[in-house]
Amino acid sequence: MAAKCKNVYQFKIVLNNIGPLISRTIQVPENYSFWDLHVAIQDAMGWQDCHLHEFKLMDPRDRREKRIGIPDDENLLYYITFPGWEEPIAEYFSLNNPFAEYDYDFGDNWKHIIKLEQILEKQSDIKYPICIDGERACPPEDCGGVGGYADLLEALEDEDHENHENMKRWLGAKFDPERFDPKKVKFDNPHKRWKMAFEEE
């Protein structure tokens, strides 16, 4: 069981190499692990957590880059990825060490820049994590990365495009690339998500 916390970390997450800006601002408990943070980012962005992920950031203890996510034995000769559920965010993030890269889906290669903006006192009347701000919808899963998403938007905007109807059917009528409402973000329990991902039935 995680220790009680007095503070929350406010992060801004920006999806890199894409414009106009797609971003989220979330507040999470200071006692979160990187796995917990991963789940919160997935839920806030609108991803479905069906691909691998990895954080890359500087370890303040030795000033070297560290990879945190889901360990992959096949890559041990090249680098080590430390398990996110064993690494507390408070041991890495500070206002002097605020940045990290968060990579999701190594095929589509979605890269996010994370910045710790503030460390705030936890409010007793707020249930954390919480999404307090954001811009634009998240690209749909498996759309082909930044280039594929650009092609998708082009097809959606042009009724005469050969793929216009196919894209509309694939995405559904509710998809609006410009729309995002932080009040509609629902956060899953990260422990429950971990059990679903790693515990055998």
Side-chain angles (χ1 to χ4, degrees):
M1 181 180 294
K4 291 183 179 180
C5 66
K6 296 181 180 179
N7 298 316
V8 294
Y9 283 15
Q10 179 172 306
F11 291 102
K12 184 167 185 177
I13 302 109
V14 174
L15 187 55
N16 210 11
N17 302 318
I18 201 165
L21 184 72
I22 298 176
S23 69
R24 304 290 184 264
T25 303
I26 62 174
Q27 295 176 351
V28 306
E30 65 181 346
N31 61 0
Y32 257 25
S33 70
F34 276 87
W35 172 263
D36 301 335
L37 179 59
H38 153 71
V39 172
I41 293 172
Q42 287 283 305
D43 293 341
M45 288 297 297
W47 299 122
Q48 297 175 11
D49 199 6
C50 52
H51 298 283
L52 294 174
H53 73 277
E54 185 177 69
F55 293 89
K56 289 184 280 190
L57 74 168
M58 186 182 68
D59 188 332
R61 292 164 290 197
D62 59 15
R63 313 295 292 181
R64 295 181 179 179
E65 183 182 79
K66 190 163 185 177
R67 297 170 182 255
I68 300 173
I70 299 175
D72 183 359
D73 292 341
E74 294 183 3
N75 288 324
L76 287 178
L77 290 176
Y78 306 101
Y79 57 83
I80 298 174
T81 301
F82 293 85
W85 48 91
E86 295 180 0
E87 301 291 335
I89 64 173
E91 291 188 6
Y92 295 87
F93 285 108
S94 71
L95 296 180
N96 293 321
N97 192 45
F99 290 102
E101 182 179 293
Y102 171 75
D103 297 342
Y104 172 64
D105 184 352
F106 301 158
D108 278 4
N109 198 28
W110 298 110
K111 292 185 178 295
H112 308 70
I113 301 300
I114 300 173
K115 181 182 180 182
L116 174 64
E117 293 188 314
Q118 299 184 74
I119 299 175
L120 305 166
E121 185 176 350
K122 183 180 180 183
Q123 302 298 308
S124 60
D125 59 339
I126 297 177
K127 182 180 180 181
Y128 298 97
I130 185 173
C131 183
I132 63 171
D133 198 9
E135 298 287 341
R136 301 179 74 230
C138 179
E141 295 275 4
D142 301 320
C143 69
V146 172
Y149 186 49
D151 292 342
L152 181 152
L153 293 180
E154 181 182 346
L156 282 181
E157 293 169 2
D158 182 359
E159 294 185 357
D160 295 326
H161 195 285
E162 61 181 352
N163 289 323
H164 179 76
E165 292 301 325
N166 289 337
M167 290 298 99
K168 284 181 64 177
R169 282 194 294 270
W170 182 55
L171 292 170
K174 293 183 178 180
F175 181 76
D176 181 349
E178 301 302 323
R179 183 178 298 171
F180 174 72
D181 185 353
K183 295 179 181 179
K184 292 185 177 180
V185 173
K186 295 182 179 180
F187 290 96
D188 198 5
N189 182 309
H191 179 64
K192 175 184 175 183
R193 186 82 66 83
W194 187 91
K195 291 180 68 176
M196 289 175 60
F198 298 108
E199 286 192 353
E200 297 181 357
E201 296 292 337

